[in-house]
């Protein structure tokens, strides 16, 4: 059986979206709020699954014939990206959201070919935006870790 890149991408997005949605299902909203920590992951995971479905439907309509080839370099890049995310998850509580997120976004931007200045700018600004959305608007308690003495 041959798989095209679109088929693999579509199935992976659907599976990852379903897994994320299932994981976010257990996050109960705090008392007095309509949404909580699971709200944003549910939106993102639904979008991922819908994107995967649209890719699969588009693939069937256009019947692409490009067969996916798996090479060692591609597998190593995916493994490195997964390792960065796992390391981020492990560092989140002891190091804190802000430092961990800046480090992950900085490394991921460089990993995908971004320049050093753009990686620095993106990682700091995106972390500030995420902090504002989650901490100030959605009232999600973020782990401060090493920055606990300066938490506000």
């Amino acid at each position: 059986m041959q798989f095209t890149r679109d088929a693999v991408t579509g199935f992976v997005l659907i599976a990852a979206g379903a897994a994320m949605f299932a994981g976010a299902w257990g996050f109960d909203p705090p008392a007095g709020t309509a949404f909580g920590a699971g709200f944003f992951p549910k939106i993102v995971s639904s979008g991922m699954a819908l994107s995967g479905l649209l890719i699969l439907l588009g693939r069937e309509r256009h019947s692409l014939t490009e067969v996916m080839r798996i090479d060692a370099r591609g597998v190593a890049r995916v493994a490195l990206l997964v390792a960065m995310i796992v390391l981020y998850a492990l560092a989140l509580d002891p190091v804190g959201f802000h430092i961990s997120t800046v480090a992950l976004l900085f490394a991921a931007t460089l990993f995908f070919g971004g320049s050093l200045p753009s990686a620095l700018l993106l990682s700091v600004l995106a972390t500030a935006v995420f902090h504002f959305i989650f901490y100030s608007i959605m009232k999600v308690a973020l782990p401060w870790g090493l920055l606990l003495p300066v938490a506000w």
Side-chain angles (χ1 to χ4, degrees):
M1 181 175 195
Q2 293 183 344
F3 292 103
T4 64
R5 289 182 187 197
D6 286 345
V8 172
T9 302
F11 285 123
V12 167
L13 283 173
I14 291 171
M20 282 177 56
F21 195 89
W25 193 263
F27 298 148
D28 293 327
T33 62
F35 52 84
F39 179 71
F40 187 70
K42 286 178 186 174
I43 291 173
V44 171
S45 62
S46 298
M48 284 175 60
L50 180 62
S51 297
L53 182 63
L54 291 174
I55 288 171
L56 286 176
L57 293 176
R59 175 187 160 269
E60 291 302 321
R61 194 171 24 154
H62 293 102
S63 65
L64 297 174
T65 58
E66 182 182 354
V67 176
M68 186 176 139
R69 303 206 192 309
I70 298 175
D71 62 342
R73 184 172 183 256
V75 171
R77 289 179 57 85
V78 170
L80 183 59
L81 186 59
V82 169
M84 284 193 300
I85 294 170
V86 168
L87 183 62
Y88 171 76
L90 294 173
L92 204 53
D93 276 334
V95 177
F97 169 80
H98 303 88
I99 295 171
S100 299
T101 304
V102 166
L104 173 71
L105 293 176
F106 183 79
T109 303
L110 292 178
F111 179 76
F112 286 110
S115 67
L116 195 61
S118 67
L120 185 60
L121 184 65
L122 173 75
S123 61
V124 171
L125 288 179
T127 301
V129 169
F130 294 153
H131 169 84
F132 177 73
I133 291 170
F134 286 110
Y135 192 75
S136 300
I137 295 175
M138 298 176 73
K139 306 293 187 210
V140 174
L142 300 173
W144 285 87
L146 300 174
L147 295 178
L148 188 58
V150 295
W152 63 87

